[in-house]
Amino acid sequence: MPAYALTALDDAERTGGWHLVRRALGLQAFGMNVVRIAPGTSIPEHDETGRDQEEVFLTLEGEPTIVLDGERHPLPQWTFARVDPQVLRTVANDGATEAVVLIASAPRTSGYE
């Protein structure tokens, strides 16, 4: 595998609204994808307990809402949210325009300090 990788977002493999950035770059230490969320829709609600993964969400475009254990929080453009594995989460787009969100994740046991 090469020592580096470059990709444009639109060149990454897609499945639905998800850009599979992790695959495009060949990431092995952490997960990273970009999701486009149409108005009136949301990503699947989930937790990361089984994988013990912390997740970070960053809104690149739009004004979605992150829902954490049922509590709604605005996540406007250039806002980060860090979520522990056990928290049930989803990102909803109640706005009139598409929201674009970067999601990065890694196991808490990855050892970074």
Side-chain angles (χ1 to χ4, degrees), residues 47-69:
D47 65 41
E48 292 291 343
T49 304
R51 296 187 290 182
D52 193 38
Q53 290 194 122
E54 220 173 24
E55 282 188 317
V56 173
F57 297 79
L58 169 63
T59 299
L60 303 176
E61 293 179 23
E63 294 191 19
T65 299
I66 191 164
V67 184
L68 305 171
D69 283 338

Side-chain angles (χ1 to χ4, degrees), residues 21-23 25-33 53-54 102-107 110:
V21 176
R22 179 176 187 247
R23 285 187 190 171
L25 294 175
L27 294 174
Q28 297 177 3
F30 61 96
M32 185 170 64
N33 291 304
Q53 290 194 122
E54 220 173 24
L102 172 73
I103 304 171
S105 63
S110 66

Side-chain angles (χ1 to χ4, degrees), residues 23-98:
R23 285 187 190 171
L25 294 175
L27 294 174
Q28 297 177 3
F30 61 96
M32 185 170 64
N33 291 304
V34 172
V35 62
R36 295 178 180 274
I37 307 169
T41 67
S42 61
I43 66 170
E45 188 174 56
H46 68 287
D47 65 41
E48 292 291 343
T49 304
R51 296 187 290 182
D52 193 38
Q53 290 194 122
E54 220 173 24
E55 282 188 317
V56 173
F57 297 79
L58 169 63
T59 299
L60 303 176
E61 293 179 23
E63 294 191 19
T65 299
I66 191 164
V67 184
L68 305 171
D69 283 338
E71 189 174 329
R72 299 175 69 82
H73 303 272
L75 197 65
Q77 188 174 20
W78 300 115
T79 301
F80 291 90
R82 185 204 54 82
V83 184
D84 282 343
Q86 72 277 7
V87 175
L88 194 61
R89 81 284 315 261
T90 185
V91 180
N93 183 0
D94 300 324
T97 62
E98 178 180 72

